Amino acid sequence: MSLTTTHAGATLPLALTMGDPCGIGPELIAMLFRPGTGVSMANCLVVGDVAVMRRAVTLTGQSLPVAELDDPSGLWQVPPGCLPVLPPQGLPAGLIDCSLGQVHAQAGAAAAACVAQAAAWALQGQVAGLVTAPLNKEAMALGGVRFPGHTELLQACAGQGRAVPPPVRMMLANEALKVVLVTVHLSLRQALDAVTFDAVLETVRIAHRAATAWGQPAPRIAVAGLNPHAGEAGAFGDEEIHIIAPAVQAARAEGIDARGPYAPDTVFMRARNSADHPGEFDVVVAMTHDHGLIPVKYLGLDEGVNITLGLPFVRTSPDHGTAFDLAGSGRANPASLQAALRWARRLLTP
């Protein structure tokens, strides 16, 4: 997939979903469209509610016109200097009346509807990829959405019409560290049971394919252990011996440069890449959500990007939540969303 892919003679749009309308997502998107930021939004459209996005423009101190589209191809008829918004099918009414900074069922349903519609357009070849603003899991659950987050929702969207949905994984990335997770939104007790040979091997394969796609033909993949000190030869747990190490060996037999399992308390430091510390590894595979995400987030939220690997289209997202405490203030920082946009373009451009 490439940003040079054309539709009706024009580059395919990149879809930005507005996220929870009561959170900071709409304001962050409005900030990116602000003139003079140095960020090109020429091929971007917003999947969301027109009234909510007009409010976001006002909250961020702008007088930017908001143009309502009928379909993705309508982007190319929008005059420069406008914020193009395309409402999805099934968008709940009255979203502008939901209080900012509060959990609302219809806001959660709206956020999910935007993601599902954008994914459908991506699968149909009408948009090049997705950049998704934050949603609120509690609001989604109240709105009747049965998926705990973006990753699971997008996997279901990609799996429609298929007997088995495609295997997907969450990657959190910045310029210093890239981490792919074996398990995501599960309780820790459930996650332990979900760390299986097949799950670890599939994660390593997905990480390898993704890194190859973004320009690393022979990515070095470090696999973190599950237990303290990677089990210390079975003294603190034997998952490394019976599950993780065999999966690493199976990946190596397939020609993948996978290594480990390494102690999770040091492997991220070894992989961190900077001007004065060349990383030993290109990607780290971590067994559980917090094992993998804490070190990336500690390096800073501004540049962190959530990328869903394994989908048949590109999807990126900022590395933070809806920040209800900032909603409506116009003071939220768009740096992570801007980084997500850069990553989407990087992944879409060969």
Side-chain angles (χ1 to χ4, degrees), residues 13-349:
L14 195 56
L16 281 69
T17 61
M18 73 173 178
D20 190 298
C22 299
I24 61 172
E27 293 168 66
L28 297 179
I29 292 172
M31 290 177 189
L32 291 192
F33 278 90
R34 178 185 292 161
T37 62
V39 180
S40 173
M41 304 300 290
N43 71 317
C44 298
L45 60 83
V46 180
V47 184
D49 182 82
V50 172
V52 167
M53 292 309 304
R54 284 183 175 141
R55 178 178 63 189
V57 168
T58 301
L59 289 171
T60 54
Q62 303 180 73
S63 57
L64 190 67
V66 174
E68 182 172 355
L69 307 182
D70 294 322
D71 61 67
S73 64
L75 174 64
W76 313 117
Q77 282 73 54
V78 175
C82 292
L83 193 160
V85 180
L86 180 51
Q89 294 182 1
L91 188 69
L95 292 173
I96 196 66
D97 298 322
C98 294
S99 302
L100 287 168
Q102 302 294 321
V103 174
H104 290 274
Q106 67 198 96
C114 292
V115 173
Q117 182 68 78
W121 283 327
L123 291 167
Q124 295 161 10
Q126 297 189 66
V127 300
L130 282 63
V131 178
T132 60
L135 45 74
N136 182 276
K137 295 176 175 60
E138 181 183 356
M140 285 176 59
L142 290 173
V145 181
R146 62 186 179 90
F147 304 104
H150 273 118
T151 304
E152 297 84 355
L153 172 58
L154 288 164
Q155 181 183 34
C157 291
Q160 290 183 4
R162 299 173 52 165
V164 179
V168 301
R169 295 294 188 273
M170 177 191 291
M171 180 175 81
L172 210 62
N174 55 36
E175 295 305 320
L177 187 61
K178 298 172 181 64
V179 178
V180 182
L181 305 178
V182 175
T183 66
V184 190
H185 298 123
L186 298 171
S187 73
L188 184 55
R189 191 173 301 280
Q190 291 173 311
L192 297 178
D193 292 334
V195 176
T196 65
F197 171 88
D198 290 339
V200 174
L201 178 57
E202 189 69 68
T203 306
V204 174
R205 288 169 173 162
I206 290 172
H208 175 80
R209 288 196 297 267
T212 301
W214 72 60
Q216 292 178 297
R220 302 163 299 168
I221 300 174
V223 180
L226 175 67
N227 297 296
H229 303 279
E232 199 76 77
F236 307 139
D238 60 5
E239 285 86 357
E240 285 79 10
I241 296 171
H242 298 299
I243 296 172
I244 303 173
V248 170
Q249 290 305 312
R252 292 186 65 83
E254 296 176 7
I256 297 172
D257 185 4
R259 314 175 199 180
Y262 295 115
D265 60 347
T266 57
V267 68
F268 301 103
M269 292 185 288
R270 295 172 61 186
R272 181 180 63 84
N273 186 64
S274 64
D276 60 349
H277 185 278
E280 293 182 45
F281 310 107
D282 300 305
V283 183
V284 178
V285 168
M287 297 300 117
T288 68
H289 183 279
D290 286 8
H291 260 181
L293 299 197
I294 288 173
V296 184
K297 293 189 176 187
Y298 180 76
L299 292 173
L301 293 176
D302 289 355
E303 290 297 317
V305 176
N306 183 342
I307 303 169
T308 306
L309 306 181
L311 293 170
F313 50 83
V314 166
R315 178 263 170 170
T316 68
S317 181
D319 173 27
H320 57 69
T322 50
F324 280 163
D325 58 321
L326 289 175
S329 70
R331 295 185 290 108
N333 188 344
S336 184
L337 182 62
Q338 186 173 335
L341 181 61
R342 287 198 305 269
W343 261 98
R345 286 173 168 155
R346 179 187 301 180
L347 295 171
L348 287 164
T349 303

